[in-house]
Amino acid sequence: MKIVAVVGPAGSGKTTLIEQLVAELKRRGLSVAGIKHCSRGFSLDQQGKDSWRFKEAGSDGVGLVSPTEIAIIQRQSDKAEDLLLATSYFKNMDIVFIEGRHAVKHIPKVELLRKGVAERVVTPIEELAAVVSDFDVKVPRPVFHFSQINEIANFLEKEMQMEEPRVVLEIDGAIIPLNPFVQSVSANMLLGIVRSLKDTQPNPQEISLHINRRNREDEKL
C-alpha cells in the first residue's frame, strides 16, 4: 500500500486532481481509497433514522451496513491520525489518498502550486514526493502539469518509493514514528517469535500484535 497526501491551499485543485487520479488508477485495475478531512464535521445518516438515534443516545460508534457498502462513524478526539486510519481501514488498498493535512509528518506529499494562489513549495524536501504546478518550478523532485494525469498516475503506481512504514507503533490511539533501523529490528524480532510458534506460516506477510495493559494492578509502572 502507498499512502500519499495531496496538499495545497484552498483553490489549488486538490479534490479535482484526486478525483482524476482515482479514475485513472481504477481504470488500470488498482484499488484506491481517499481520506477527506471535514473541519466543520459531517453526517452520513439522516435525523430520525436508527443510526442517528444510536449516535444521539451517546453511542461512541455506529456502523452502517448494506449489501454493497459499509460506513463507520466513531467519536474521537480532534487528534485524528491519518496513518492509523489508512492502515486500519484501507490496508488492502494499493493507493490511499489523503486530501490536505500538510502538517501531518511522515506521509509523502504531492504539493500543488498555482500562479497567484501558491507559488512556493513549503513541504520539507524529505517528505516531498512530487509537485504539480501550472508554472515552471525548480525542485529536486518530479514536477508535473495538472493536465498530466497519466504521467502522475505512472509515477504514483511505479516510481514513488515512499510507502507505508514496515512497522507501525500505536500507543493509546497515537501513531509513534519509528526510524528505519527501529522498524527493521522490531520486525525481525517479532518475526523470529512468530516463527518459533507452532501452527504458524513460515513467511507471514502481515503481523498484528495488540497489548492491553488495562486493569493490570500486578504490574508496577
Side-chain angles (χ1 to χ4, degrees):
M1 176 177 65
K2 294 184 177 181
I3 304 172
V4 57
V6 178
V7 302
S12 58
K14 297 186 295 293
T15 301
T16 299
L17 181 66
I18 293 175
E19 179 184 20
Q20 293 172 324
L21 288 172
V22 167
E24 174 60 27
L25 293 167
K26 287 297 295 180
R27 186 187 66 79
R28 301 181 183 198
L30 299 179
S31 56
V32 189
I35 297 175
K36 168 71 176 180
H37 285 264
C38 305
S39 59
R40 299 182 179 179
F42 64 89
S43 177
L44 293 180
D45 51 349
Q46 299 178 10
Q47 184 172 348
K49 294 293 185 179
D50 292 350
S51 55
W52 178 87
R53 291 170 61 186
F54 295 160
K55 190 167 63 173
E56 288 300 301
S59 175
D60 293 311
V62 176
L64 306 174
V65 183
S66 79
T68 58
E69 295 177 307
I70 63 171
I72 303 294
I73 306 173
Q74 182 175 325
R75 298 184 191 275
Q76 62 178 18
S77 70
D78 57 359
K79 297 180 179 179
E81 293 286 354
D82 302 84
L83 188 57
L84 176 60
L85 178 61
T87 55
S88 296
Y89 295 100
F90 299 133
K91 62 183 179 181
N92 295 322
M93 299 290 172
D94 293 313
I95 295 180
V96 178
F97 289 105
I98 299 174
E99 182 177 333
R101 305 295 281 173
H102 192 283
V104 177
K105 298 183 181 298
H106 310 293
I107 297 177
K109 299 173 176 66
V110 174
E111 184 165 352
L112 277 53
L113 301 179
R114 283 191 185 275
K115 202 72 174 177
V117 177
E119 301 183 5
R120 183 175 63 88
V121 173
V122 297
T123 300
I125 193 64
E126 65 271 16
E127 296 180 1
L128 184 66
V131 173
V132 181
S133 175
D134 61 1
F135 59 91
D136 292 336
V137 182
K138 292 184 179 181
V139 292
R141 291 291 186 269
V143 178
F144 303 96
H145 192 273
F146 284 89
S147 63
Q148 294 181 292
I149 299 302
N150 185 67
E151 290 82 354
I152 300 172
N154 284 340
F155 170 75
L156 295 175
E157 180 185 4
K158 302 174 182 178
E159 299 178 36
M160 191 182 77
Q161 299 300 317
M162 302 169 71
E163 300 191 15
E164 66 167 320
R166 292 178 59 199
V167 177
V168 177
L169 174 62
E170 176 196 347
I171 300 179
D172 294 336
I175 294 293
I176 308 302
L178 302 177
N179 64 46
F181 174 75
V182 175
Q183 288 189 45
S184 178
V185 171
S186 302
N188 290 334
M189 180 177 64
L190 185 56
L191 183 59
I193 294 174
V194 169
R195 284 176 172 169
S196 70
L197 302 175
K198 295 181 179 180
D199 302 323
T200 59
Q201 296 293 330
N203 188 31
Q205 298 302 299
E206 183 175 333
I207 302 172
S208 296
L209 174 65
H210 180 78
I211 301 175
N212 188 342
R213 300 184 65 250
R214 294 185 178 91
N215 301 322
R216 292 301 303 271
E217 296 180 356
D218 57 322
E219 292 185 357
K220 294 183 179 180
L221 300 178

